[in-house]
Amino acid sequence: QSRAAPGSARTAAPPRSPRCRAASGCRSAPRERRGGAGGGARHSPGAGAAGRGPAAPPPAQRHLFSDAAEVGAVRSALLAWYDSCKRELPWRALAANEPDVDRRAYAVWVSEVMLQQTQVATVIDYYNRWMQKWPTLQALAAASLEEVNELWAGLGYYSRGKRLQEAARKVPACRGVVSELAGRMPRTAEELQKLLPGVGRYTAGAIASISYGQATGVVDGNVIRVLCRLRGIGADSSRGCSKHVSPQREAGVRPGDFNQALMELGATVCVPKAPLCAECPVKQHCHARRRVEKELGLASQRLLGTCPAVPDVEDCAGGCPLCPPATEPWDSSLGVTNFPRKAAKKQPRAARAATCVLERGGRRGAPRYLILFTSPSPGLLAGLWEFPSLPLAPGLQEEKQREMLAGHLQAWGGWPVAAGGLRYVGEVIHIFSHIHQTYVVYSLPVDEDVTLDAVLPPSRWVTEEEFHASAVSTAMKKVPGPFLSSPSLTCLQPGQQRVMLPCPSRAPEAAFYTCF
């Protein structure tokens, strides 16, 4: 899991109160394009409907926050703990101290987008640089997409920056920027989700509760885990079970801080593995902890031969949609981490691409040059810079992939490219969230007086340092690493040094040619 909001995030890097221990990790939120958290399977509205089975039974009361007194106790305990133990994070400081409501909402919004599927320790530097460069919606709306991509480079999930800017351009009323919202951020979670592209249920709820004080649910991976353990929910957490038990919509003081406290608890105490139950401020309300104690007692009774034959009166009847499935028995070694059950993770698909680093010799003493061009749009890395690359079909022989890459380069550059002139460098592997990507890297020397066709995409020469400062994905930054560190590797034959990991570059004597 990975992603953290103002008041959640999980990495031990930021300081916390000495009274509390920090746990490492990150926070994950459901994908916004799927409608945010809690969007699980739908139950049939009733029995006997055509083509549908009987309605699923309602969750048992023991799983719900139906006791107002208990909700109040949980809220009070969490807020007191949060006030003394929360980590100091830059977006929290802005959210707490910014008097302008639009700028406050913008600060929360940027953090929420950056923290999607990204660890807090990674986000902090990007967030500080972003807010320093674009402190307001007006500043972001006036920026170019290239500037946004350059700052975002290395943060991953690159479409997030583009969507953030697209949404920002709907808000500000400033010269040169077309605005649909006359400079005013939407003021409710419903309006935020409806009016701003790329803002889903989770992000809208976080902005509205933290910035505007709206009592609305914020259910990310951390919150789902906390709620499932508090209420003893063992069902698959990806199927919307948390929507039955969220206490966040209840009217109460400090709704934004309460949401952040739930997220912080899941990020630092109620972590996926080895939770710090002794430090939990709401452990007396935790059904998962009670279940562990109960199972320990039953195990002792079984050893003594005194285990009761009748079920406990607190146990749910069969068919409860929130209880652990009967097919998955209790695992005593897991303890409270039996809750919640997680769906089996889908394995990333394998993909291969042939990639070429073109090097151009300069005058005596001048650096070599390499050539880049941008990804097409749309795509996983759309709008970013990359070396000339060509997707490869599975099982393609090396000789054939070399021929295809040569043809691709010739069609693109307009000069003859012989397959035999391509020098094999090695393979670079990068794991995206859903793709296991392998780049088969070649190098190709070109004449120093080579020119490019004017109809090609816009281009510019950059040094190695400028290359790394450009909007280049982390995956693509791996490609020149072994090539620059060990030029002799360019002469390797296929089968030798098959996996190339990024290595420290030598003195900056190489430069890159880029197209955008």
Side-chain angles (χ1 to χ4, degrees), residues 102 105-106 108-109 167 170-171 181 184-212 214 216:
D102 289 306
Y106 169 64
V108 174
W109 182 13
K170 296 188 67 174
V171 179
L181 299 177
R184 184 178 181 272
M185 284 279 289
R187 290 294 193 263
T188 67
E190 294 74 21
E191 287 182 348
L192 286 162
Q193 187 173 355
K194 178 181 178 181
L195 298 177
L196 296 182
V199 173
R201 178 177 160 190
Y202 170 82
T203 299
I207 297 172
S209 65
I210 297 168
S211 304
Y212 308 142
Q214 180 183 353
T216 184

Side-chain angles (χ1 to χ4, degrees), residues 438-463:
T438 299
Y439 294 101
V440 185
V441 184
Y442 294 87
S443 70
L444 177 67
V446 297
D447 295 335
E448 61 181 271
D449 58 350
V450 68
T451 58
L452 296 178
D453 195 316
V455 301
L456 292 176
S459 58
R460 70 177 188 260
W461 291 97
V462 295
T463 64

Side-chain angles (χ1 to χ4, degrees), residues 112-383:
E112 285 299 327
V113 173
M114 284 190 172
L115 289 162
Q116 291 170 7
Q117 306 294 324
T118 308
Q119 292 199 2
V120 177
T122 301
V123 167
I124 290 175
D125 178 60
Y126 281 90
Y127 182 81
N128 287 335
R129 288 189 288 116
W130 181 287
M131 296 305 294
Q132 183 177 8
K133 188 167 186 175
W134 301 303
T136 65
L137 280 163
Q138 287 80 4
L140 176 58
S144 68
L145 178 59
E146 183 176 352
E147 289 178 299
V148 171
N149 283 338
E150 284 181 0
L151 195 150
W152 202 277
L155 194 57
Y157 297 89
Y158 299 95
S159 62
R160 292 179 296 169
K162 179 181 178 181
R163 290 199 306 268
L164 182 58
Q165 191 201 35
E166 288 175 350
R169 288 192 167 189
K170 296 188 67 174
V171 179
C174 58
R175 197 173 92 180
V177 177
V178 177
S179 170
E180 297 179 26
L181 299 177
R184 184 178 181 272
M185 284 279 289
R187 290 294 193 263
T188 67
E190 294 74 21
E191 287 182 348
L192 286 162
Q193 187 173 355
K194 178 181 178 181
L195 298 177
L196 296 182
V199 173
R201 178 177 160 190
Y202 170 82
T203 299
I207 297 172
S209 65
I210 297 168
S211 304
Y212 308 142
Q214 180 183 353
T216 184
V218 173
V219 184
D220 77 334
N222 287 328
V223 175
I224 289 173
R225 185 169 57 259
V226 169
L227 294 180
C228 285
R229 289 175 181 170
L230 277 175
R231 310 318 295 174
I233 297 174
D236 181 355
S237 61
S238 68
R239 299 182 64 84
C241 57
S242 58
K243 66 185 177 183
H244 295 290
V245 298
S246 174
Q248 298 145 292
R249 291 185 179 273
E250 299 292 334
V253 296
R254 303 170 60 191
D257 284 344
F258 180 56
N259 281 337
Q260 294 183 86
L262 280 169
M263 293 185 281
E264 184 79 344
L265 185 68
T268 61
V269 174
C270 194
V271 292
K273 298 179 180 179
L276 307 175
C277 294
E279 300 182 18
C280 180
V282 290
K283 55 181 177 287
Q284 66 270 30
H285 302 281
C286 182
H287 285 214
R289 187 165 177 262
R290 293 178 193 170
R291 175 68 184 271
V292 170
E293 294 171 349
K294 174 184 173 182
E295 291 293 334
L296 288 174
L298 289 175
S300 298
Q301 291 176 352
R302 281 192 289 268
L303 287 174
L304 298 173
T306 59
C307 186
V310 295
D312 192 298
V313 292
E314 291 188 358
D315 290 342
C316 294
C320 174
L322 301 185
C323 280
T327 55
E328 299 181 27
W330 176 264
D331 187 339
S332 59
S333 67
L334 295 179
V336 298
T337 61
N338 277 282
F339 303 93
R341 293 293 199 277
K342 294 183 66 176
K345 188 175 181 180
K346 185 178 180 181
Q347 292 299 312
R349 64 178 175 86
R352 293 174 64 84
T355 302
C356 187
V357 179
L358 283 86
E359 51 178 327
R360 192 181 77 168
R363 297 182 179 86
R364 185 177 180 180
R368 295 184 319 225
Y369 293 85
L370 304 176
I371 195 169
L372 278 92
F373 70 117
T374 55
S375 307
S377 183
L380 177 65
L381 303 176

